[in-house]
Amino acid sequence: MLPLSYGNVYKTPDDYKPPDDLDFDDTEYPNLNSRDYARRPLNHTARMHEAWECLSISTPLEETNGNVAVCCNKLSGREWTGTLWGFEKPNVIENKSESMMPEKSCFKLQCPAIINCMTFVSPNILLLAFNTGNLQVWSTHSEVRKSQNPYCLFLIGEKCEHMKPITCLTGFQSNQHKAATASKDGAIKIWDMGTADLVSQGSFRFAHTDVITGLAASCTKENIFATCSLDKSSLIWDDRETRPAIALYENHNVRFTNVSWCPQSEDNIVYLGDEAGSLLTIDVRQPKVIQNQTTYFDRPIRKILPNEDNLAVIADSNLVKISKTPTHSVFYENNETQNFVRDGGWISPTEFLTVGFEGKLRSHCIE
């Protein structure tokens, strides 16, 4: 142990005689009380960074009420973090980008890590997936709050069971209490939120031999979902089976980057995007048979977002294309974005929203 004489170093100086009404930020007489110092407010104010990474809409197209959530990541400096912002859907429809101002948000959240994926699994329940492997489920409303302000973020559950960053996330339309995540190490996990908590129902290790880049659930079946990976393969999964996966398409000439389930055609059509900018259409009843292959870009496809007979496709560029299915004839293009487009969503049958690294919301009307 140190000699007791060393304790003299930590004594309050004899000339330290502050006034009774000392402010906590006084520089002439600094506060030497550790408890008072710990109670000082920290600078945890959520900021809307320019890297808008994810977009999710809480309600279907036919409903005007709901929320539009946007994730903004800080990708510069020593500490990379993310923030979540929520806005009312009617205001976004009416005012577009003017409604996406920090002071007009209905809820916000400062996160300790980068948000890789986000989705609403029900109108008031939101899932956030981070690059740390963490998964969080949040409630955006509170039944006990006043009707004038029902928004209240509440953490329902949090788990970190992925060893590497979560790369994709999906909810199940036929079961709002179920979700699935996939990670950079090729693992898949099934989650249950029906007990007001986040519980892992099952895990599939080494589901792919490389990074899983796409995950899409069936629109009508709660046990069926599709995945794609950088290992140039795509799989159809049924988590009720002992051997849950069969090959949807394998040994493709380039790597797959995204997968999406078409809500039409009796829930049998799956879209696959690859690094060459091509989109493949495959019927799950005829695996390994390409129904259609169309080249949309000369860059990797990032997002495939169908809506009835319209199909929006986003790549690693500033260009957005919308086509008609099943012919895949492009009738709308937009490259006004000043940086990469990262995500999008249909807010109405004739209006498509996009976000990207320019730090703003853009609306695309296809009427």
Side-chain angles (χ1 to χ4, degrees):
M1 296 181 60
L2 294 175
L4 294 179
S5 58
Y6 279 84
N8 295 331
V9 178
Y10 304 102
K11 284 186 176 181
T12 303
D14 296 333
D15 57 349
Y16 183 75
K17 297 179 180 179
D20 295 335
D21 56 346
L22 175 65
D23 294 331
F24 70 89
D25 58 349
D26 193 293
T27 57
E28 183 177 0
Y29 293 101
N31 195 335
L32 301 182
N33 191 314
S34 60
R35 291 177 297 178
D36 290 344
Y37 179 81
R39 287 197 296 264
R40 296 177 65 180
L42 300 177
N43 186 18
H44 281 171
T45 304
R47 297 183 181 181
M48 190 168 279
H49 307 290
E50 291 187 358
W52 290 24
E53 191 80 31
C54 308
L55 173 71
S56 184
I57 302 173
S58 64
T59 53
L61 303 180
E62 58 272 11
E63 297 185 20
T64 57
N65 295 326
N67 297 111
V68 177
V70 177
C71 290
C72 309
N73 290 326
K74 178 187 177 185
L75 303 178
S76 61
R78 187 172 59 121
E79 184 182 15
W80 287 18
T81 59
T83 55
L84 169 69
W85 298 84
F87 304 89
E88 292 187 342
K89 186 177 177 180
N91 293 339
V92 176
I93 294 175
E94 295 176 4
N95 302 319
K96 303 300 183 292
S97 59
E98 295 180 1
S99 64
M100 309 291 281
M101 303 297 291
E103 60 272 12
K104 296 184 179 180
S105 64
C106 52
F107 60 85
K108 58 185 176 180
L109 176 69
Q110 176 71 42
C111 302
I114 293 177
I115 304 171
N116 283 349
C117 317
M118 170 189 63
T119 186
F120 277 100
V121 293
S122 70
N124 300 327
I125 303 298
L126 182 67
L127 276 175
L128 295 178
F130 299 91
N131 67 334
T132 57
N134 287 54
L135 180 67
Q136 295 180 349
V137 54
W138 288 85
S139 171
T140 60
H141 285 64
S142 175
E143 298 294 337
V144 299
R145 292 290 293 265
K146 295 181 180 179
S147 59
Q148 293 83 359
N149 183 21
Y151 299 103
C152 178
L153 279 177
F154 175 77
L155 181 62
I156 297 176
E158 179 180 12
K159 290 293 176 61
C160 182
E161 296 193 10
H162 283 287
M163 302 301 294
K164 289 194 176 181
I166 297 175
T167 54
C168 41
L169 166 69
T170 186
F172 291 78
Q173 295 183 17
S174 54
N175 186 353
Q176 295 182 347
H177 302 302
K178 186 176 181 180
T181 56
S183 65
K184 195 173 181 179
D185 58 358
I188 298 173
K189 289 189 178 293
I190 310 298
W191 302 93
D192 179 26
M193 298 163 287
T195 59
D197 199 356
L198 196 60
V199 180
S200 177
Q201 269 192 331
S203 178
F204 304 106
R205 297 181 60 192
F206 309 110
H208 286 270
T209 59
D210 208 331
V211 179
I212 299 177
T213 55
L215 181 63
S218 169
C219 302
T220 59
K221 304 177 183 66
E222 64 174 283
N223 300 103
I224 308 298
F225 59 93
T227 59
C228 67
S229 169
L230 296 183
D231 62 7
K232 303 180 181 179
S233 71
S234 175
L235 303 176
I236 290 290
W237 295 79
D238 187 342
D239 58 15
R240 298 168 297 183
E241 301 292 337
T242 305
R243 289 186 160 184
I246 62 172
L248 178 64
Y249 196 79
E250 56 186 351
N251 298 325
H252 191 42
N253 53 356
V254 291
R255 303 188 293 183
F256 287 119
T257 55
N258 194 246
V259 63
S260 178
W261 209 290
C262 178
Q264 291 183 322
S265 302
E266 299 179 354
D267 198 34
N268 295 318
I269 299 299
V270 173
Y271 298 124
L272 290 168
D274 60 26
E275 282 190 333
S278 298
L279 188 142
L280 284 64
T281 303
I282 299 179
D283 193 325
V284 298
R285 297 168 295 183
Q286 294 180 308
K288 305 180 184 179
V289 177
I290 299 177
Q291 304 290 332
N292 180 279
Q293 182 170 352
T294 304
T295 301
Y296 279 79
F297 299 92
D298 57 359
R299 295 189 177 190
I301 290 179
R302 177 170 178 83
K303 291 288 183 178
I304 306 169
L305 302 161
N307 170 34
E308 297 181 353
D309 59 342
N310 296 323
L311 182 65
V313 185
I314 297 171
D316 288 338
S317 67
N318 68 331
L319 184 60
V320 178
K321 292 186 178 182
I322 302 177
S323 65
K324 287 289 184 180
T325 57
T327 60
H328 293 278
S329 56
V330 177
F331 67 93
Y332 177 86
E333 294 186 16
N334 187 291
N335 61 351
E336 296 177 358
T337 306
Q338 302 300 315
N339 211 318
F340 285 98
V341 179
R342 303 297 287 174
D343 203 353
W346 291 94
I347 200 167
S348 72
T350 58
E351 186 177 3
F352 184 67
L353 303 178
T354 57
V355 294
F357 284 169
E358 66 174 349
K360 65 173 64 175
L361 177 81
R362 286 191 180 270
S363 174
H364 309 269
C365 294
I366 59 174
E367 290 181 331

